[in-house]
Amino acid sequence: MTMLDDRQTAAPWPTAYPQGYAVVDVETTGLARDDRIISAAVYRLDALGNVEDHWYTLVNPERDPGPVWIHGLTSDVLEGAPLFPEVAEELSARLADRVLVAHNAAFDWSMIAREYARASVVAPVEQRLCTIALAKELRLPLPNHKLASLAAHFGVVQQQAHHALDDARVLAEAFRPSLHAAARGGVRLPLLECRPLTEWSDSPVTPRVGYRAVRQPNSWRPSRKRPACPYPNPGRYEKEKPLQQGMRVAFSGDTSIDRELLEDRAIEAGLHVATSVSRLTSLLVTNDPDAATSKTQKAKSFGTPILEESAFTHLLRDVAPADGAVLPQQASPPPPEATASSE
């Protein structure tokens, strides 16, 4: 494999492809409806995926910053940052007339749409493209669909994970060869419509970090049959370290993300979803660690680490491979593409 350039595109460039892209990454206080953006980055690309410029800003969320140990942005750092309405115009100028590109684009788009709705402004985005969906369309031989795996496939070096500007750079560098591969193969890009929110009302009560209760009557449901985890249990989760494939994760109480979706994400990342808590459980995920449920009581008696949902979902982005796991062999990757300097 060699670095792609315009001359290596075997077929004429598809006329149906977009004329420009905005590669976006946002860091947030959590993943729930009332969580806020705390930093945002945009790389503008031309029709061929070449970098035109990039932009980055901090955003004051007007609330606690969430899992600081993940994104590193403290209240002190964010205190003097602009509010979202103060950066909305600049962000709009960078998104206008372009397809929004993100890794797990549904999340980035939903957070951006909510911020625009709070500011009573309509986001100038009509379509989005998820690079996870594109990787699946291209059938890339990835061990999973994390950004780190996509970057490694194309030889892109991550310098600072969970920093919006570096994550956006990495994605921009990995997107260009993906785009060229799609063009050569005649692959239809997985574009989805973006429907901006036009109204917003804040919850009357400030929620916990990354959490908004969704308690409903008669919410019991039977557990689903799930495939066995292929990785050995590496033991308990240790604070400020990544999750590792094979860890046994149990959930307790209501979650802001649908429970089955949250469990599916954990399994896709290589974790073992447990229906109960035992001495072998690596961690318990709950938004109410003081609740007198059997799972939380057992976790405390066993000394099992307990994490809130927002912290867990952030850690899901970069789960470490199981001990001794070997990634699939690939051709020699190209060097990372050069990016344009900041304006």
Side-chain angles (χ1 to χ4, degrees):
M1 182 187 299
T2 58
M3 177 59 65
L4 291 166
D5 59 33
D6 302 340
R7 293 169 299 179
Q8 289 176 290
T9 304
W13 196 260
T15 57
Y17 277 21
Q19 295 303 301
Y21 305 88
V23 178
V24 173
D25 186 77
V26 297
E27 293 298 319
T28 67
T29 61
L31 303 179
R33 176 183 182 275
D34 292 303
D35 278 297
R36 307 295 303 271
I37 291 175
I38 55 176
S39 66
V42 180
Y43 268 73
R44 289 195 291 190
L45 312 181
D46 66 15
L48 298 178
N50 300 309
V51 175
E52 296 177 333
D53 58 47
H54 64 268
W55 171 80
Y56 169 79
T57 185
L58 295 175
V59 181
N60 186 339
E62 300 183 278
R63 54 158 291 175
D64 60 272
V68 174
W69 60 94
I70 301 294
H71 51 62
L73 298 176
T74 64
S75 296
D76 290 340
V77 171
L78 298 171
E79 183 177 2
L83 303 178
F84 185 84
E86 297 173 326
V87 303
E89 183 177 356
E90 177 69 19
L91 180 58
S92 293
R94 295 175 178 278
L95 298 177
D97 302 320
R98 295 171 185 267
V99 170
L100 184 150
V101 177
H103 204 65
N104 189 12
F107 168 73
D108 292 82
W109 164 242
S110 67
M111 296 302 298
I112 290 171
R114 290 168 187 164
E115 291 288 5
Y116 271 98
R118 289 187 185 96
S120 300
V121 180
V122 176
V125 180
E126 296 182 357
Q127 291 182 309
R128 67 179 184 268
L129 187 157
C130 180
T131 47
I132 295 177
L134 181 56
K136 291 179 179 179
E137 290 287 340
L138 296 174
R139 298 182 180 180
L140 299 182
L142 306 177
N144 52 55
H145 290 101
K146 296 187 296 182
L147 176 57
S149 298
L150 181 65
H153 178 74
F154 290 113
V156 181
V157 178
Q158 179 95 59
Q159 296 175 354
Q160 190 175 354
H162 301 304
H163 187 289
L165 182 60
D166 197 54
D167 282 350
R169 173 192 64 81
V170 168
L171 189 57
E173 293 182 9
F175 175 64
R176 182 173 185 266
S178 298
L179 180 64
H180 281 249
R184 291 198 315 274
V187 174
R188 181 179 179 182
L189 297 181
L191 302 175
L192 293 177
E193 179 186 3
C194 289
R195 297 182 179 180
L197 297 174
T198 56
E199 296 181 351
W200 182 264
S201 61
D202 287 313
S203 297
V205 179
T206 302
R208 302 173 68 112
V209 177
Y211 173 66
R212 185 171 67 92
V214 291
R215 193 178 300 276
Q216 298 177 350
N218 301 322
S219 60
W220 179 88
R221 59 177 176 77
S223 60
R224 292 189 294 168
K225 181 70 174 178
R226 297 188 179 278
C229 181
Y231 309 109
N233 186 354
R236 289 181 172 175
Y237 166 74
E238 296 181 37
K239 188 177 180 180
E240 298 185 358
K241 290 187 178 182
L243 298 172
Q244 188 173 8
Q245 289 179 331
M247 283 186 170
R248 297 176 65 93
V249 182
F251 297 91
S252 179
D254 291 320
T255 53
S256 58
I257 299 175
D258 179 80
R259 174 68 69 82
E260 291 190 355
L261 176 59
L262 194 58
E263 292 178 353
D264 287 343
R265 289 182 179 177
I267 290 172
E268 183 178 344
L271 303 178
H272 176 124
V273 173
T275 57
S276 61
V277 174
S278 70
R279 297 183 186 277
L280 298 177
T281 305
S282 303
L283 72 155
L284 174 68
V285 178
T286 178
N287 287 309
D288 193 359
D290 297 323
T293 66
S294 60
K295 289 182 180 178
T296 55
Q297 290 178 337
K298 285 184 178 180
K300 291 177 180 179
S301 67
F302 295 145
T304 303
I306 299 176
L307 285 180
E308 287 195 349
E309 179 189 354
S310 61
F312 175 72
T313 51
H314 274 81
L315 288 170
L316 269 183
R317 298 181 183 182
D318 293 291
V319 177
D323 291 334
V326 178
L327 298 181
Q329 292 294 318
Q330 301 171 1
S332 299
E337 297 207 22
T339 60
S341 58
S342 176
E343 288 187 332

